[in-house]
Amino acid sequence: MALEVCVKAAVGAPDALGDCPFSQRVLLTLEEKNQPYKIHLINLSDKPQWFLDINPQGKVPVLKIDDKWVPDSDIIVTILDDKYPNPSLKTPPQFASVGSNIFSTFVSFLKSKDSNDGTEQALLVELEALEDHLKSHDGPFIAGERVTEVDLSLAPKLHYLKVALGHFKSWSVPGSLSHVNGYMKALFSLDSFEKTKTEEKYVISGWAPKVNP
Protein backbone atom coordinates (compact mmCIF):
# COMPACT_ATOMS: atom_id res chain seq x y z
CA MET A 1 0.00 0.00 0.00
CA ALA A 2 1.42 3.38 -1.02
CA LEU A 3 2.43 5.77 1.70
CA GLU A 4 0.63 9.12 1.83
CA VAL A 5 2.38 12.43 2.36
CA CYS A 6 1.03 15.96 2.84
CA VAL A 7 3.28 18.68 1.44
CA LYS A 8 3.06 22.40 0.70
CA ALA A 9 1.21 23.52 -2.43
CA ALA A 10 2.71 26.40 -4.41
CA VAL A 11 1.69 29.96 -3.56
CA GLY A 12 -0.97 30.93 -6.10
CA ALA A 13 -0.98 27.45 -7.68
CA PRO A 14 -2.70 24.91 -5.42
CA ASP A 15 -2.09 22.06 -7.90
CA ALA A 16 1.70 22.51 -8.01
CA LEU A 17 4.39 21.55 -5.52
CA GLY A 18 5.40 24.47 -3.31
CA ASP A 19 8.67 25.64 -1.80
CA CYS A 20 9.12 23.78 1.46
CA PRO A 21 12.57 22.28 2.03
CA PHE A 22 11.22 19.94 4.70
CA SER A 23 8.50 18.63 2.38
CA GLN A 24 10.98 18.05 -0.44
CA ARG A 25 13.40 16.36 1.96
CA VAL A 26 10.73 13.74 2.72
CA LEU A 27 9.87 13.30 -0.98
CA LEU A 28 13.57 12.91 -1.81
CA THR A 29 13.88 10.24 0.88
CA LEU A 30 10.87 8.35 -0.48
CA GLU A 31 12.30 8.51 -4.01
CA GLU A 32 15.77 7.36 -2.89
CA LYS A 33 14.12 4.47 -1.01
CA ASN A 34 12.05 3.59 -4.12
CA GLN A 35 8.86 3.70 -2.05
CA PRO A 36 5.59 4.48 -3.86
CA TYR A 37 3.64 7.33 -2.32
CA LYS A 38 0.58 9.49 -2.84
CA ILE A 39 0.93 13.26 -2.51
CA HIS A 40 -1.65 15.58 -0.94
CA LEU A 41 -0.87 19.20 -1.85
CA ILE A 42 -1.88 21.45 1.04
CA ASN A 43 -2.69 25.12 0.48
CA LEU A 44 -1.18 26.56 3.66
CA SER A 45 -3.22 29.77 3.41
CA ASP A 46 -6.47 27.77 3.24
CA LYS A 47 -5.89 24.48 4.99
CA PRO A 48 -8.61 21.86 4.45
CA GLN A 49 -10.46 20.69 7.53
CA TRP A 50 -9.50 17.02 7.04
CA PHE A 51 -5.84 18.07 7.18
CA LEU A 52 -6.34 20.00 10.43
CA ASP A 53 -8.23 17.01 11.85
CA ILE A 54 -5.24 14.69 11.32
CA ASN A 55 -2.67 17.36 12.12
CA PRO A 56 -3.98 20.14 14.40
CA GLN A 57 -0.69 22.07 14.24
CA GLY A 58 -1.29 22.50 10.52
CA LYS A 59 2.35 22.15 9.51
CA VAL A 60 3.82 20.16 6.61
CA PRO A 61 5.17 17.63 5.87
CA VAL A 62 3.05 14.87 7.41
CA LEU A 63 3.42 11.21 6.41
CA LYS A 64 0.84 8.46 6.80
CA ILE A 65 2.62 5.24 7.67
CA ASP A 66 1.10 2.14 9.29
CA ASP A 67 -2.26 3.97 9.46
CA LYS A 68 -0.75 6.76 11.55
CA TRP A 69 -0.06 10.36 10.52
CA VAL A 70 3.44 11.46 11.57
CA PRO A 71 4.59 15.12 11.44
CA ASP A 72 8.13 16.58 11.40
CA SER A 73 10.65 15.79 8.65
CA ASP A 74 13.36 14.73 11.14
CA ILE A 75 11.06 12.09 12.66
CA ILE A 76 9.67 11.02 9.27
CA VAL A 77 13.12 10.50 7.75
CA THR A 78 14.26 8.45 10.76
CA ILE A 79 11.15 6.25 10.57
CA LEU A 80 11.60 5.71 6.82
CA ASP A 81 15.25 4.77 7.24
CA ASP A 82 14.38 2.26 9.98
CA LYS A 83 11.41 0.75 8.14
CA TYR A 84 13.07 0.64 4.70
CA PRO A 85 16.79 0.15 5.47
CA ASN A 86 17.85 -0.40 1.83
CA PRO A 87 19.43 1.69 0.61
CA SER A 88 20.62 3.15 3.90
CA LEU A 89 20.64 6.96 3.88
CA LYS A 90 22.16 7.36 7.35
CA THR A 91 24.83 10.06 7.50
CA PRO A 92 27.94 9.21 9.56
CA PRO A 93 27.62 11.28 12.78
CA GLN A 94 30.79 13.28 12.12
CA PHE A 95 29.24 14.66 8.91
CA ALA A 96 25.65 15.16 10.11
CA SER A 97 25.97 18.90 10.80
CA VAL A 98 27.90 19.86 7.65
CA GLY A 99 26.14 22.82 6.03
CA SER A 100 23.59 23.11 8.83
CA ASN A 101 23.82 26.92 9.07
CA ILE A 102 23.58 27.64 5.35
CA PHE A 103 19.79 27.95 5.26
CA SER A 104 19.45 30.43 8.14
CA THR A 105 22.26 32.64 6.81
CA PHE A 106 20.74 32.51 3.31
CA VAL A 107 17.35 33.66 4.67
CA SER A 108 18.96 36.55 6.60
CA PHE A 109 20.87 37.71 3.51
CA LEU A 110 17.80 37.37 1.28
CA LYS A 111 15.70 39.54 3.62
CA SER A 112 18.47 42.09 4.19
CA LYS A 113 18.02 45.64 2.88
CA ASP A 114 21.46 46.82 4.03
CA SER A 115 24.45 45.64 2.00
CA ASN A 116 26.82 46.40 4.90
CA ASP A 117 25.02 44.45 7.63
CA GLY A 118 27.27 41.38 7.38
CA THR A 119 24.57 38.94 6.19
CA GLU A 120 26.27 38.26 2.85
CA GLN A 121 29.59 37.66 4.62
CA ALA A 122 27.90 35.30 7.10
CA LEU A 123 26.51 33.22 4.23
CA LEU A 124 29.90 33.18 2.49
CA VAL A 125 31.55 31.92 5.69
CA GLU A 126 29.11 28.97 5.76
CA LEU A 127 29.59 28.22 2.04
CA GLU A 128 33.39 28.40 2.47
CA ALA A 129 33.13 25.88 5.33
CA LEU A 130 31.19 23.56 3.00
CA GLU A 131 33.84 24.14 0.32
CA ASP A 132 36.59 23.16 2.78
CA HIS A 133 34.74 19.98 3.76
CA LEU A 134 34.12 18.93 0.15
CA LYS A 135 37.72 19.73 -0.82
CA SER A 136 39.17 17.59 1.97
CA HIS A 137 36.86 14.56 1.60
CA ASP A 138 36.11 12.25 -1.30
CA GLY A 139 32.81 13.18 -2.92
CA PRO A 140 30.77 14.03 -4.76
CA PHE A 141 28.49 14.05 -1.71
CA ILE A 142 29.14 15.07 1.88
CA ALA A 143 29.81 11.54 3.14
CA GLY A 144 31.42 10.24 -0.06
CA GLU A 145 30.09 8.48 -3.14
CA ARG A 146 26.60 7.83 -1.78
CA VAL A 147 23.82 10.26 -1.09
CA THR A 148 22.86 10.40 2.58
CA GLU A 149 20.30 12.27 4.70
CA VAL A 150 22.46 15.37 5.05
CA ASP A 151 22.52 15.79 1.25
CA LEU A 152 18.75 15.35 0.96
CA SER A 153 18.27 18.01 3.63
CA LEU A 154 20.61 20.47 1.89
CA ALA A 155 19.46 19.91 -1.72
CA PRO A 156 16.20 21.93 -1.56
CA LYS A 157 17.80 24.65 0.57
CA LEU A 158 20.63 25.13 -1.92
CA HIS A 159 18.09 25.15 -4.76
CA TYR A 160 16.10 27.96 -3.09
CA LEU A 161 19.35 29.83 -2.38
CA LYS A 162 20.34 29.62 -6.05
CA VAL A 163 16.92 30.62 -7.39
CA ALA A 164 15.87 33.23 -4.82
CA LEU A 165 19.22 35.04 -4.50
CA GLY A 166 19.64 34.93 -8.27
CA HIS A 167 16.18 36.47 -8.77
CA PHE A 168 15.96 38.99 -5.93
CA LYS A 169 19.62 39.99 -5.57
CA SER A 170 21.30 38.92 -8.83
CA TRP A 171 23.67 36.96 -6.58
CA SER A 172 25.22 33.56 -7.17
CA VAL A 173 27.67 31.27 -5.41
CA PRO A 174 31.15 32.58 -6.28
CA GLY A 175 32.99 30.62 -8.96
CA SER A 176 35.95 30.29 -6.59
CA LEU A 177 33.84 27.86 -4.52
CA SER A 178 34.24 25.23 -7.22
CA HIS A 179 33.51 22.26 -4.94
CA VAL A 180 30.26 23.83 -3.71
CA ASN A 181 29.19 24.54 -7.29
CA GLY A 182 30.05 20.96 -8.28
CA TYR A 183 28.15 19.63 -5.27
CA MET A 184 25.05 21.64 -6.18
CA LYS A 185 25.26 20.34 -9.75
CA ALA A 186 25.51 16.74 -8.46
CA LEU A 187 22.48 17.23 -6.17
CA PHE A 188 20.34 18.93 -8.81
CA SER A 189 21.06 16.15 -11.34
CA LEU A 190 19.80 13.36 -9.08
CA ASP A 191 16.71 11.64 -10.53
CA SER A 192 15.04 12.00 -7.13
CA PHE A 193 15.66 15.75 -7.20
CA GLU A 194 14.35 16.16 -10.75
CA LYS A 195 11.13 14.40 -9.73
CA THR A 196 10.52 16.38 -6.54
CA LYS A 197 11.84 19.89 -7.16
CA THR A 198 9.69 23.01 -7.03
CA GLU A 199 9.51 24.95 -10.30
CA GLU A 200 11.61 28.11 -10.18
CA LYS A 201 8.60 30.41 -10.63
CA TYR A 202 6.99 28.87 -7.53
CA VAL A 203 10.20 29.21 -5.54
CA ILE A 204 10.09 32.92 -6.43
CA SER A 205 6.39 33.33 -5.61
CA GLY A 206 6.94 31.48 -2.33
CA TRP A 207 9.82 33.70 -1.22
CA ALA A 208 8.48 37.04 -2.52
CA PRO A 209 6.41 37.80 0.65
CA LYS A 210 9.49 37.20 2.83
CA VAL A 211 11.61 39.56 0.73
CA ASN A 212 8.98 42.32 0.57
CA PRO A 213 6.63 41.75 3.51
Side-chain angles (χ1 to χ4, degrees), residues 4 15 19 21-22 30 39 42-43 47 63 88-89 91 99 124 127 135 144 156 165 167-168 178 181 183 203-204 207:
E4 295 181 46
D15 296 327
D19 61 307
F22 311 106
L30 288 164
I39 280 188
I42 305 297
N43 180 350
K47 295 168 189 168
L63 179 79
S88 171
L89 297 174
T91 302
L124 284 169
L127 291 172
K135 202 185 289 186
L165 289 178
H167 179 80
F168 293 107
S178 58
N181 280 297
Y183 174 60
V203 173
I204 292 163
W207 285 91

Side-chain angles (χ1 to χ4, degrees), residues 28-46:
L28 283 165
T29 304
L30 288 164
E31 288 289 345
E32 290 292 335
K33 296 277 186 190
N34 297 308
Q35 289 302 317
Y37 58 92
K38 177 184 177 187
I39 280 188
H40 300 282
L41 292 169
I42 305 297
N43 180 350
L44 295 184
S45 56
D46 184 19

Side-chain angles (χ1 to χ4, degrees), residues 1 3 12-13 22 29 40 46 52 65 68 71-72 81 83 95 132 144 153 155 163 168 170 189 194 203 209:
M1 191 171 71
L3 301 164
F22 311 106
T29 304
H40 300 282
D46 184 19
L52 293 169
I65 187 163
K68 222 170 88 180
D72 190 309
D81 219 30
K83 192 171 174 67
F95 300 144
D132 290 343
S153 177
V163 173
F168 293 107
S170 300
S189 18
E194 280 291 330
V203 173

Side-chain angles (χ1 to χ4, degrees), residues 135-152:
K135 202 185 289 186
S136 57
H137 295 81
D138 290 335
F141 302 108
I142 282 176
E145 288 183 9
R146 285 190 313 107
V147 163
T148 66
E149 284 171 11
V150 67
D151 303 301
L152 303 184

Side-chain angles (χ1 to χ4, degrees), residues 169-186:
K169 287 189 181 281
S170 300
W171 189 95
S172 59
V173 174
S176 57
L177 300 179
S178 58
H179 289 77
V180 173
N181 280 297
Y183 174 60
M184 289 167 68
K185 199 172 172 184

Side-chain angles (χ1 to χ4, degrees), residues 76-88:
I76 292 169
V77 165
T78 301
I79 288 172
L80 289 173
D81 219 30
D82 289 343
K83 192 171 174 67
Y84 308 107
N86 293 312
S88 171

